[in-house]
Amino acid sequence: MPPPIVLNVAEKPSVARSLAQVFSSSPGSRPRNNHPGPTQIFECENVCFPSLYQQGQGRTMPNNAPGDPHTMITTSVRGHLASQDFGPAYGWSRCPPVALFEAPINTEYKEDMQPLEGMLRDLSRRASALILWLDCDREGEAISDEVRAVCLKGNPRLGTQNRIYRAKFSTVLPGEIGRALRTLGRVNENFVQAVQLRSEHDLRVGAAFTRFQTLRLQKKFDGFQERGVVSYGPCQFPTLGFVVERWARIETFIPENFWALEMSIRLNADGSVANDSVQNQNGNVYSNQQGKSIHLNWKRVRLYDRPTTTAIYDACLEAGEAVVTSLTGRPKNKWRPIPLATVELQKRASKYLRIGSEELMHKAEELYNQGFISYPRTETEKFRPEFNHHTLIQSFEAVAGEFGDFASNLLSNNNFQNPRAGPNDDNAHPPITPAKAVSPDALIHPKILTMSLF
């Protein structure tokens, strides 16, 4: 019996290329010539892993499970294949905007996606099984459903024989891909329906309100027709509201001058007050920088009247000294940071690197596609109990420079502590973390890797 032919579909060409490299580097595999197409097609024979037909039930095959040979055909899409829109009967001039809330929605493949659709249909006719390697989030699950629908048109037996599988992975490293091939599951239909519902809601609400306000404003104001469509979106309008609110505060803000008193003292090691200036043996007077400086806060914080502030300042100078009436204190804890999620990565990149969100995510996805970091779009802020931190840290000991020194320090004298768990977990991806050791000098974007490590 010939080995099963498995069609593997990734979400991006770069991920498909990385998968093909992993398949071709497995022991005993035989890469074949790549095929041209709307996206590149890779083929590799004799890729061994636990039989597909024993998986898909939500259980993990053991590491020592016997491997069966498979012929792997690997390609990709470029995001969503299909798009939704209203039919010709529901054009701008053919129905009132309110009719769009109940109008039927058509699924279609735009011209630039039709070659991809045809390619997947042709490849699925050769395949005896389909593995979906889309991103492991809700959007990836919805794209998996679109790919599945196209492949079923080309080969209905994939559905009747229940041979469509879903791979869960966070990096494109050989170990992670091997684990995914031992834990193949099914498409999460709940996630698919959630994305479809959100997409339908956005389409109906956005189209209806866009038409309503555009037509109404065109009738109400002269010359408004030349301005085009006044778009409405369920997300963009609340965001626009925040922007306008902030703009209004800035425009209506009236600056006022204010004055404040600042006071600090410097204490010696024995708790006595140190002199502000010290004279050395040569008679030169210099500012005393020794001891611990304590800055005192004024209870009134600030005053908007300069004469009153000056009078209080003069009274302090005349008094010459102050009496401490009470002294209170409390311990201050500096908590370990929680594991890195996408929002925090964006905040740090903006604050420390002056990189915008769009540029950051593009660079982070490059590092992910090269296998240097885990998937960069995640809400998870806690590691799974089985995550092996020590193995990852030990791999960085061999890296010269700051990375290697930091790793060695963590592993010496029991300095390493497990990261503090955060409150969020998307149950799809781990926190953003390095996936393999690499010198920062070898990277185009080393600072992003540094943020995920430190």
Side-chain angles (χ1 to χ4, degrees):
M1 182 178 177
I5 299 176
V6 182
L7 174 58
N8 300 270
V9 182
E11 189 166 325
K12 309 177 189 70
S14 57
V15 177
R17 194 177 307 115
S18 299
L19 287 172
Q21 291 173 354
V22 173
F23 296 152
S24 62
S25 63
S26 61
S29 63
R30 296 188 300 272
R32 300 183 63 181
N33 293 332
N34 302 333
H35 310 292
T39 60
Q40 203 165 8
I41 303 170
F42 308 90
E43 190 167 344
C44 187
E45 297 178 340
N46 202 40
V47 179
C48 294
F49 58 92
S51 174
L52 279 170
Y53 309 139
Q54 299 177 14
Q55 299 195 58
Q57 308 302 321
R59 63 175 182 269
T60 302
M61 303 295 288
N63 292 336
N64 58 358
D68 294 344
H70 301 76
T71 297
M72 307 292 269
I73 301 174
T74 308
T75 188
S76 72
V77 292
R78 294 191 298 269
H80 282 279
L81 276 172
S83 59
Q84 288 75 39
D85 205 349
F86 302 105
Y90 293 88
W92 277 67
S93 60
R94 297 187 178 182
C95 71
V98 70
L100 298 179
F101 287 107
E102 296 182 353
I105 295 176
N106 299 331
T107 298
E108 56 188 27
Y109 300 92
K110 294 187 177 179
E111 187 175 349
D112 59 336
M113 290 297 171
Q114 290 175 1
L116 275 175
E117 181 201 9
M119 178 196 71
L120 290 176
R121 285 194 187 191
D122 294 339
L123 291 176
S124 62
R125 293 188 182 101
R126 292 182 53 196
S128 52
L130 170 65
I131 300 181
L132 300 163
W133 295 85
L134 289 303
D135 290 348
C136 299
D137 51 20
R138 291 192 175 192
E139 212 67 35
E141 218 69 20
I143 301 174
S144 295
D145 177 67
E146 296 174 9
V147 173
R148 176 177 60 180
V150 172
C151 291
L152 285 174
K153 292 178 181 178
N155 186 355
R157 293 191 306 275
L158 294 173
T160 56
Q161 298 175 359
N162 201 23
R163 295 199 175 160
I164 300 177
Y165 303 90
R166 182 74 164 96
K168 299 289 187 180
F169 65 106
S170 296
T171 67
V172 288
L173 295 176
E176 179 76 0
I177 299 306
R179 184 200 61 77
L181 289 172
R182 296 194 310 273
T183 58
L184 295 172
R186 305 291 183 182
V187 175
N188 189 321
E189 304 297 343
N190 292 332
F191 284 180
V192 172
Q193 293 177 21
V195 174
Q196 290 175 345
L197 177 61
R198 190 212 67 216
S199 299
E200 179 180 343
H201 172 270
D202 289 349
L203 174 61
R204 293 187 185 278
V205 173
F209 276 89
T210 295
R211 294 187 188 185
F212 170 75
Q213 64 185 15
T214 301
L215 296 173
R216 185 172 179 83
L217 291 173
Q218 286 177 348
K219 295 176 181 178
K220 193 172 184 65
F221 298 100
D222 294 335
F224 204 86
Q225 292 183 349
E226 290 76 19
R227 294 179 177 269
V229 174
V230 183
S231 176
Y232 175 89
C235 294
Q236 70 189 46
F237 251 58
T239 304
L240 178 61
F242 295 139
V243 174
V244 172
E245 182 182 11
R246 179 61 178 164
W247 169 85
R249 287 181 180 179
I250 295 174
E251 289 295 309
T252 58
F253 177 74
I254 301 176
E256 292 185 74
N257 294 327
F258 63 88
W259 291 264
L261 299 180
E262 294 181 356
M263 179 178 177
S264 64
I265 58 174
R266 190 174 297 277
L267 300 180
N268 295 318
D270 59 0
S272 60
V273 178
N275 293 325
D276 291 336
S277 58
V278 179
Q279 187 175 17
N280 59 17
Q281 296 177 349
N282 298 326
N284 297 324
V285 178
Y286 62 94
S287 176
N288 183 13
Q289 299 298 324
Q290 297 181 352
K292 182 179 180 180
S293 180
I294 298 178
H295 296 274
L296 305 178
N297 295 324
W298 189 21
K299 188 175 181 180
R300 298 185 68 170
V301 184
R302 66 178 67 89
L303 290 177
Y304 293 90
D305 183 78
R306 183 172 182 175
T308 301
T309 309
T310 304
I312 297 174
Y313 174 70
D314 291 339
C316 292
L317 293 180
E318 291 178 5
E321 63 181 21
V323 177
V324 177
T325 58
S326 66
L327 181 64
T328 58
R330 61 172 180 235
K332 186 176 181 180
N333 298 319
K334 186 176 182 180
W335 298 99
R336 302 192 307 278
I338 61 177
L340 192 63
T342 303
V343 173
E344 185 61 28
L345 175 67
Q346 292 171 326
K347 289 180 180 179
R348 295 186 190 182
S350 176
K351 181 178 180 180
Y352 299 115
L353 306 181
R354 302 303 182 197
I355 298 177
S357 295
E358 184 176 355
E359 180 185 359
L360 165 72
M361 297 312 298
H362 176 71
K363 293 178 177 179
E365 287 188 0
E366 285 185 15
L367 293 175
Y368 162 69
N369 292 331
Q370 295 167 0
F372 293 125
I373 64 173
S374 60
Y375 189 62
R377 297 182 184 275
T378 176
E379 298 177 10
T380 302
E381 298 170 333
K382 59 180 72 173
F383 286 100
R384 298 284 186 271
E386 63 271 14
F387 188 90
N388 193 332
H389 296 90
H390 281 85
T391 301
L392 178 61
I393 297 172
Q394 287 169 355
S395 67
F396 274 94
E397 280 194 292
V399 177
E402 185 181 18
F403 282 15
D405 295 341
F406 182 70
S408 299
N409 182 58
L410 280 178
L411 296 173
S412 62
N413 301 322
N414 294 321
N415 286 333
F416 175 75
Q417 299 181 48
N418 282 326
R420 188 165 59 96
N424 298 316
D425 188 350
D426 60 15
N427 294 309
H429 301 286
I432 303 170
T433 185
K436 62 181 178 182
V438 61
S439 172
D441 299 332
L443 298 176
I444 301 177
H445 314 300
K447 293 183 179 179
I448 298 177
L449 179 68
T450 303
M451 286 195 296
S452 69
L453 179 63
F454 296 101

